[in-house]
Amino acid sequence: MVRTRRMSVLRAVVEDYIRNQEPVGSTALAKRHNLGVSSATIRNDMAVLEEEGYLIQPHTSAGRIPTEKGYRFFVDRLSSVVPLSKPQRQGIQAFLEGSVNLQDTLQRAARLLARITGQIAVVASPSLSKSTLRHVELVAISTNMLLAVVITDTGRVAQHMLQAPQMPTQHDIAAFSQIVNRIGTGRSLRDCARLIRSIHHTDLATWTQDLSNRLASALDTMADEEHASELFMSGTSTLAHSDRIHELGPLFDALEEQFVIMRLMDDLNEHQNDQGIGVAIGSETKTPGLLHAAVVSSGYGQATTSQGLTDFEAPTQQSSSSAGDDSSDDSSDENKEQGSAVQHMALDLSNANTTSPVAYIGAIGPTHMDYASTMAAVWTVARYLTAFLGEEHQ
């Protein structure tokens, strides 16, 4: 019982510090939260929490602030997150629908996520190694040169020049392309390369063996090009005006190393919660420049049903407010109305043929960020981005 109350005190401290960025005192907690005990008891609980490493007192006689361990406890107890408001969801849909291609879509996703969270938003483009083949087109551009245009399931387009010692006829090129697309569509580029090398050439001209090997090698090369994943970023100017810029300076240096950010977001895939959201706080990022920062990430690009943006049941927040707060009854009607709006505006992933994500979207900000709303924004934009790409490129 005492432990439960103490953890409620911790949650209250984290909530207040996130809201005000000022050290939190016991008297203030007693006034703002229905903890059911006196300020003296709260003060004793805070002292114990400090001894256990959840809180720290920056100055003598000042209130306390959460440590990295305190934030981690708070985030781990956010078993679900608050859905975004109806206007926010409508804005996401309308903003993405205005894009003209994949690159524009990802740039727009970064801008709107930064706008919603107030943090730095990063969106990685789908890497070719995690994409599957949608279509291959071979185009003769000279007497001995072909251009292979490879389109993936995520909308990525890659091109590769293929030398042809003996230029085939247009009919032969079309016949070979048809075979490649029949055996390779829906497979990874590396699997597609392996199958192309195994094509039987008895019914085609002898040049196909050489072209098969060249095309297979090109696909292998594309699959190896992890650096081809661009990182779209937005929101740095907003965070640069923070009153704690002295703490966030190293963060901007870390952002220059885009490979480090992409690796971190990829690693978070191994430590996601049940909803597919990963959070790394301070030293957990294993990046010196992010010791005073937190990263919230979620994957996008899973296979979805052909319905695209339809109905789904979005996650609802299990309140992280202090024990003894009986506000749930008063807000039940509001929650039902909000849940209905969420169902109307979102997408159905319940029957989706999901696979591992092809890329990641995330938000980076100070450790005192609003984790609940940031997690909700990252989750929602990732789901809309998944559905949008599936709708556009199916």
Side-chain angles (χ1 to χ4, degrees):
M1 188 66 179
V2 174
R3 182 67 178 175
T4 300
R5 185 196 68 224
R6 198 166 287 153
M7 292 301 101
S8 296
V9 170
L10 173 59
R11 285 196 299 270
V13 172
V14 175
E15 289 173 353
D16 282 8
Y17 187 70
I18 286 174
R19 186 181 303 112
N20 303 315
Q21 281 96 64
E22 294 289 342
V24 181
S26 58
T27 302
L29 283 184
K31 290 180 179 179
R32 285 196 290 259
H33 298 269
N34 184 17
L35 295 171
V37 292
S38 67
S39 59
T41 300
I42 295 174
R43 186 161 50 252
N44 291 335
D45 286 342
M46 293 174 71
V48 174
L49 289 169
E50 183 177 0
E51 291 177 0
E52 294 177 346
Y54 291 101
L55 300 176
I56 188 173
Q57 191 172 29
H59 307 291
T60 304
S61 75
R64 291 172 173 82
I65 65 176
T67 63
E68 183 179 302
K69 182 179 179 181
Y71 285 123
R72 171 48 61 188
F73 174 88
F74 178 80
V75 169
D76 288 345
R77 267 67 184 175
L78 288 174
S79 58
S80 53
V81 293
V82 179
L84 298 185
S85 67
K86 182 177 179 179
Q88 286 175 320
R89 295 192 303 274
Q90 290 174 326
I92 292 171
Q93 185 176 12
F95 199 54
L96 292 182
E97 285 178 346
S99 61
V100 296
N101 53 38
L102 176 63
Q103 185 179 51
D104 187 33
T105 299
L106 301 183
Q107 289 174 331
R108 285 169 177 261
R111 290 200 299 271
L112 71 87
L113 182 60
R115 184 186 308 165
I116 294 171
T117 63
Q119 315 295 346
I120 296 174
V122 290
V123 181
S125 66
S127 65
L128 291 174
S129 65
K130 295 181 179 179
S131 302
T132 59
L133 181 69
R134 177 178 173 82
H135 185 75
V136 173
E137 189 73 27
L138 296 176
V139 182
I141 60 175
S142 70
T143 56
N144 66 338
M145 196 69 67
L146 291 172
L147 176 66
V149 181
V150 177
I151 304 174
T152 71
D153 61 321
T154 58
R156 283 285 301 273
V157 178
Q159 299 179 355
H160 199 96
M161 303 294 292
L162 303 175
Q163 190 172 10
Q166 176 186 344
M167 178 54 67
T169 66
Q170 191 60 42
H171 174 77
D172 289 337
I173 294 175
F176 180 70
S177 298
Q178 186 177 19
I179 294 174
V180 170
N181 283 298
R182 187 174 69 246
I183 67 175
T185 299
R187 298 181 179 274
S188 70
L189 299 190
R190 202 171 296 283
D191 284 346
C192 186
R194 178 177 53 81
L195 291 172
I196 290 174
R197 289 191 175 95
S198 66
I199 292 177
H200 295 291
H201 305 277
T202 55
D203 297 328
L204 297 173
T206 55
W207 56 265
T208 57
Q209 183 64 57
D210 179 74
L211 185 60
S212 296
N213 291 331
R214 291 177 185 272
L215 178 58
S217 296
L219 293 173
D220 279 334
T221 298
M222 292 177 188
D224 288 335
E225 290 181 348
E226 285 297 329
H227 64 275
S229 295
E230 295 180 89
L231 194 66
F232 300 92
M233 193 175 303
S234 182
T236 54
S237 60
T238 301
L239 209 58
H241 291 90
S242 167
D243 57 0
R244 302 185 123 190
I245 187 64
H246 63 285
E247 290 184 358
L248 300 177
L251 185 155
F252 295 104
D253 293 335
L255 293 176
E256 294 294 324
E257 301 293 334
Q258 294 194 1
F259 174 77
V260 174
I261 301 302
M262 286 192 288
R263 184 192 62 194
L264 172 59
M265 293 173 68
D266 192 57
D267 289 345
L268 279 176
N269 182 48
E270 304 298 325
H271 303 88
Q272 293 180 344
N273 63 16
D274 293 339
Q275 294 173 335
I277 304 172
V279 180
I281 305 170
S283 63
E284 296 172 354
T285 66
K286 300 178 182 178
T287 305
L290 300 180
L291 289 179
H292 296 286
V295 180
V296 177
S297 176
S298 185
Y300 74 88
Q302 297 95 332
T304 61
T305 62
S306 59
Q307 296 175 353
L309 290 172
T310 56
D311 294 335
F312 85 127
E313 184 174 355
T316 55
Q317 182 183 26
Q318 182 177 21
S319 175
S320 62
S321 60
S322 303
D325 188 350
D326 296 325
S327 60
S328 57
D329 291 338
D330 296 336
S331 61
S332 59
D333 292 338
E334 181 181 350
N335 290 339
K336 290 178 182 177
E337 181 180 352
Q338 186 180 45
S340 176
V342 172
Q343 291 177 359
H344 178 71
M345 276 301 298
L347 53 148
D348 186 358
L349 297 179
S350 59
N351 297 319
N353 240 344
T354 59
T355 61
S356 60
V358 297
Y360 299 91
I361 179 172
I364 303 175
T367 53
H368 61 264
M369 70 164 62
D370 186 340
Y371 289 96
S373 63
T374 300
M375 291 165 68
V378 169
W379 187 92
T380 305
V381 175
R383 301 288 77 75
Y384 271 96
L385 191 55
T386 294
F388 180 81
L389 293 178
E391 183 79 5
E392 287 293 303
H393 304 294
Q394 61 185 347

